[in-house]
């Protein structure tokens, strides 16, 4: 037997405790439990679900939705721009979701200032591309911080029942770009159908082609069905679910088609600021047609339990450094985790 | 069975490599869920690193079960002996369970399970909100349990090295003398 070594002092428990405490503190700091964190996806979703008419099991925003199914067929031009299989596979089955922007899943369609379209493309190489677009031509704010402050400013003051005008002034002073969005929201005409609504993915992405050349792009879905505007009176008088009824009616008569068009950035274009549209003169390329053949309620449709995270991308398409794009991905994940937990607690249903 | 004085070289290599990997994994996981900007980049590391830990844990478990291990000193009190053995098996359980739950959770959430480039793993569970709604919080809760167990393990190792000054720390830190 080797000679036993003398024991160390029990005072050495102190440095041991200190080391463990330091590691625990570092972990707590990294996880946001201690320290003053600027803005987290949890804080964004806390605000979203505390305002409006949040219902358990529904998305924290864009809660009202309709599932759809159809196909995507890329054009011959598409394959020159990205190695992603979605740009070359002759026909891809897709599912997707139309949405209205509030967190009230029962809000009247006529009251929704913004409409959304999300698409999931699974290609035959096993990769997946999820796309989330909206009817606005540019995003409300340049940063997630600006967007959060805008939503905070929009919360009604309990004393007056209306948003505090001082908060709105402070918001516009700190984030002047939001004025442009407010002007759009006030004046933009709303169409009488989802089938003739244009949807824009306002964030920039990087496409890489077969030669390794990168291009920064933004995409839109442009409807082939002609735009027909509704007056404010018509929107007010319309049935709560008139968009779903209209979609069913149109799809019974035949498919609805959108052209997916890329806008390619020129040097100097704002890549990381989704609140600034790129000039209309930029090169545009139609990369495919989205053909919708079927729609169904989201309650038991396949789109309900999908997180249309805009950073689920196939190789050949990559995220830009747009902070709003990254924040959307983070916030959607928190929204998804919360609603799926609620659906789980309600034995599989959203109500 | 002849019990060695030290863990075999493969066990020691796996122990220290996995210590680094699991520590990184816990911090990446904690950071990514609260990050507004780097969630996608951290997640792209988290998935393949998790699968790597799963594979290493399987090799390690086989090595642990098939090769003799050095004994604890006879004068370690029974309660500490029990705590040592229980925490070691808890660590093995979590090393295997955490990546499997992560993989299962992504499957149930309808997510693609991307490794790197175009390489994907298949789903191991059906797309189900009910299952996802259970597995996602479980993955988080067990991560905290794993972190606390590792802290306890590290504290015990330092206690053996600095206070008891017995051979336990060297069993994992050093090889057999030549």
């Amino acid at each position: 037997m080797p000679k036993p070594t003398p024991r160390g002092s029990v005072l050495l428990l102190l440095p041991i405790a200190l080391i463990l405490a330091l590691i625990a503190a570092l972990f707590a700091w990294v996880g946001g439990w201690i320290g003053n964190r600027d803005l987290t996806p949890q804080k964004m979703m806390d605000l979203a679900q505390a305002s409006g008419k949040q219902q358990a099991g529904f998305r924290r925003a864009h809660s009202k939705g309709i599932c759809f199914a159809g196909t995507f067929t890329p054009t011959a031009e598409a394959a020159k721009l990205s190695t992603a299989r979605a740009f070359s596979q002759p026909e891809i089955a897709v599912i997707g979701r139309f949405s209205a922007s509030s967190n009230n899943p029962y809000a009247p369609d006529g009251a929704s200032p913004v409409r959304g379209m999300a698409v999931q493309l699974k290609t035959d190489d096993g990769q997946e591309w999820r796309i989330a677009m909206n009817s606005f031509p540019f995003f409300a704010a340049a940063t997630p911080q600006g967007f959060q402050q805008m939503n905070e400013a929009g919360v009604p003051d309990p004393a007056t029942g209306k948003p505090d005008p001082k908060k709105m002034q402070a918001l516009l002073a700190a984030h002047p770009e939001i004025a442009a969005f407010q002007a759009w929201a006030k004046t933009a005409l709303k169409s009488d159908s989802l089938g003739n609504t244009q949807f824009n993915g306002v964030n920039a992405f990087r496409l890489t082609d077969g030669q390794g050349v990168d291009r920064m792009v933004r995409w839109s879905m442009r409807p082939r069905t002609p735009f027909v505007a509704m007056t404010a009176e018509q929107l007010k008088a319309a049935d709560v679910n008139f968009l779903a009824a209209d979609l069913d009616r149109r799809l019974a008569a035949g498919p609805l088609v959108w052209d997916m068009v890329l806008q390619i950035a020129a040097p100097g274009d704002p890549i990381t600021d989704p609140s600034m549209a790129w000039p209309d003169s930029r090169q545009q390329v139609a990369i495919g047609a989205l053909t919708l053949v079927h729609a169904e309620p989201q309650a038991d449709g396949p789109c309900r339990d999908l997180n249309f995270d805009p950073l689920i991308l196939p190789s050949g398409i990559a995220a830009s450094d747009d902070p709003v794009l990254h924040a959307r991905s983070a916030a959607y994940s928190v929204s998804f985790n919360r609603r799926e937990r609620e659906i789980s607690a309600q034995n599989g249903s959203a109500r | 069975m002849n019990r060695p004085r030290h863990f075999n070289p493969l066990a020691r290599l796996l122990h220290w490599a996995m210590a680094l990997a699991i520590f990184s994994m816990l911090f990446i996981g904690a950071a990514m869920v609260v990050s507004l900007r780097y969630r996608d980049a951290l997640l792209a590391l988290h998935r393949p690193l998790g699968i790597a830990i799963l594979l290493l844990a399987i090799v390690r478990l086989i090595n642990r079960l098939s090769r003799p291990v050095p004994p604890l000193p006879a004068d370690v009190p029974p309660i500490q002996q029990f705590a040592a053995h229980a925490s070691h098996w808890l660590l093995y359980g979590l090393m295997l369970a955490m990546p499997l739950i992560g993989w299962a959770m992504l499957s149930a959430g309808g997510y693609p399970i991307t490794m790197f480039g175009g390489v994907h793993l298949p789903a191991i569970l059906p797309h189900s909100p009910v299952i996802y709604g259970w597995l996602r919080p479980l993955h988080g809760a067990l991560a905290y349990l794993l972190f606390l167990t590792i802290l306890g393990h590290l504290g015990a190792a330092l206690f053996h090295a600095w206070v008891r000054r017995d051979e336990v720390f060297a069993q994992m830190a050093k090889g057999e003398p030549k």
Side-chain angles (χ1 to χ4, degrees):
Chain A
M1 283 296 286
K3 214 166 63 177
T5 3
R7 294 284 149 98
S9 159
V10 282
L11 283 177
L12 286 164
L13 286 172
L14 278 175
I16 294 174
L18 190 67
I19 289 168
L20 299 186
L22 278 174
I23 296 171
L26 184 63
F27 190 64
W29 178 74
V30 166
W33 292 97
I34 55 169
N36 194 10
R37 193 66 62 122
D38 163 38
L39 183 60
T40 61
Q42 286 76 15
K43 284 184 193 171
M44 296 189 82
M45 293 300 97
D46 289 346
L47 177 67
Q49 70 190 37
S51 40
K53 293 191 172 154
Q54 185 66 54
Q55 309 283 315
F58 286 87
R59 286 164 165 84
R60 266 50 193 164
H62 288 257
S63 307
K64 185 176 186 177
I66 304 165
C67 295
F68 65 72
T71 55
F72 181 77
T73 46
T75 61
E77 286 301 295
K80 296 176 191 161
L81 295 171
S82 169
T83 55
R85 184 65 180 138
F87 285 52
S88 62
Q89 184 179 328
E91 186 175 273
I92 303 155
V94 303
I95 63 165
R97 183 175 181 269
F98 288 117
S99 61
S101 52
S102 95
N103 68 353
N104 175 4
Y106 309 110
D109 287 340
S112 180
V114 171
R115 296 170 187 170
M117 176 198 259
V119 185
Q120 178 202 39
L121 294 100
K122 283 173 140 175
T123 43
D124 56 14
D125 60 351
Q127 298 205 52
E128 195 167 330
W129 182 15
R130 296 190 189 176
I131 308 171
M133 293 160 294
N134 286 291
S135 55
F136 43 69
F138 47 82
F139 195 65
T143 59
Q145 287 77 13
F147 186 68
Q148 178 82 344
Q149 197 181 332
M150 181 183 88
N151 291 333
E152 281 165 356
V155 174
D157 186 328
T160 62
K162 284 183 177 166
D164 181 350
K166 277 199 200 103
K167 278 189 184 168
M168 198 55 77
Q169 280 167 15
L171 168 74
L172 292 174
H175 304 282
E177 77 276 12
I178 289 171
F181 183 80
Q182 289 177 337
W184 172 84
K186 219 173 265 173
T187 57
L189 293 173
K190 286 171 195 80
S191 77
D192 63 349
S193 173
L194 289 164
N196 60 16
T197 303
Q198 173 169 328
F199 297 95
N200 308 298
V202 294
N203 308 110
F205 291 82
R206 190 180 73 238
L207 299 187
T208 307
D209 70 16
Q211 273 71 52
V213 176
D214 288 341
R215 290 177 184 84
M216 300 309 297
V217 304
R218 287 174 177 169
W219 45 66
S220 325
M221 290 288 183
R222 302 195 184 166
R224 290 195 189 161
T225 311
F227 184 93
V228 176
M230 281 174 95
T231 64
E233 292 72 36
Q234 285 172 323
L235 284 165
K236 213 166 206 174
D239 182 75
V240 171
N241 300 314
F242 81 92
L243 288 175
D246 167 84
L247 198 61
D248 286 341
R249 200 161 45 239
R250 287 175 192 260
L251 288 173
L256 290 165
V257 184
W258 282 257
D259 289 305
M260 189 168 189
V261 178
L262 294 186
Q263 200 183 14
I264 301 177
D269 281 344
I271 302 297
T272 59
D273 183 350
S275 72
M276 289 172 75
W278 297 343
D280 287 337
S281 54
R282 290 292 171 266
Q283 187 193 349
Q284 297 187 3
V285 185
I287 58 154
L290 175 70
T291 305
L292 247 68
V293 295
H294 171 76
E296 64 185 296
Q298 72 170 347
D300 32 41
C303 71
R304 189 194 71 180
D305 297 309
L306 274 188
N307 171 7
F308 289 97
D309 175 349
L311 294 185
I312 294 180
L313 299 165
S315 46
I317 309 177
S320 67
D321 284 333
D322 176 347
V324 171
L325 176 58
H326 291 269
R328 284 173 82 184
S329 173
Y332 289 14
S333 166
V334 174
S335 168
F336 183 72
N337 290 348
R338 290 184 183 179
R339 67 191 159 86
E340 298 299 275
R341 181 76 207 103
E342 290 158 0
I343 287 173
S344 207
Q346 293 169 175
N347 295 315
S349 70
R351 50 173 100 108
Chain B
M1 185 166 68
N2 262 340
R3 301 191 67 173
R5 290 181 50 214
H6 297 269
F7 283 94
N8 65 55
L10 178 63
R12 296 199 309 274
L13 176 71
L14 285 170
H15 172 271
W16 293 105
M18 289 182 74
L20 186 68
I22 292 171
F23 239 90
S24 309
M25 200 58 177
L26 287 164
F27 278 88
I28 290 169
M32 76 183 186
V33 296
V34 292
S35 174
L36 263 190
R37 176 60 186 81
Y38 299 106
R39 179 178 180 277
D40 63 319
L42 293 168
L43 190 55
L45 281 174
H46 196 82
R47 283 181 306 242
L49 189 52
I51 296 300
I53 290 171
L54 175 63
L55 295 175
L56 291 175
I58 293 168
V59 175
R60 190 168 172 190
L61 182 67
I62 294 168
N63 183 58
R64 174 68 179 75
L65 292 173
S66 62
R67 303 280 297 275
V69 295
L72 280 173
D75 64 341
V76 170
I79 180 80
Q80 283 179 34
Q81 300 248 6
F82 171 79
H85 290 127
S87 65
H88 292 162
W89 288 113
L90 180 61
L91 285 168
Y92 271 100
L94 289 170
M95 277 189 278
L96 292 161
M98 283 296 286
L100 283 172
I101 292 170
W103 187 355
M105 167 191 114
L106 291 181
S107 307
Y111 284 110
I113 301 140
T114 311
M115 291 290 98
F116 36 78
V119 180
H120 288 71
L121 293 181
I124 53 172
L125 282 182
H127 183 186
S128 156
V130 175
I131 300 174
Y132 182 85
W134 284 105
L135 291 184
R136 177 59 191 84
L138 181 66
H139 193 66
L142 290 183
Y144 286 109
L145 177 63
L146 176 57
F147 180 74
L148 292 176
T149 311
I150 290 173
L151 278 192
H153 179 77
L154 175 63
L158 292 175
F159 177 71
H160 281 286
W162 294 348
V163 181
R164 280 186 52 96
R165 296 191 181 172
D166 57 19
E167 65 270 29
V168 170
F169 190 83
Q171 288 172 348
M172 191 50 93
K174 288 185 207 160
E176 304 285 345
K178 292 269 146 61

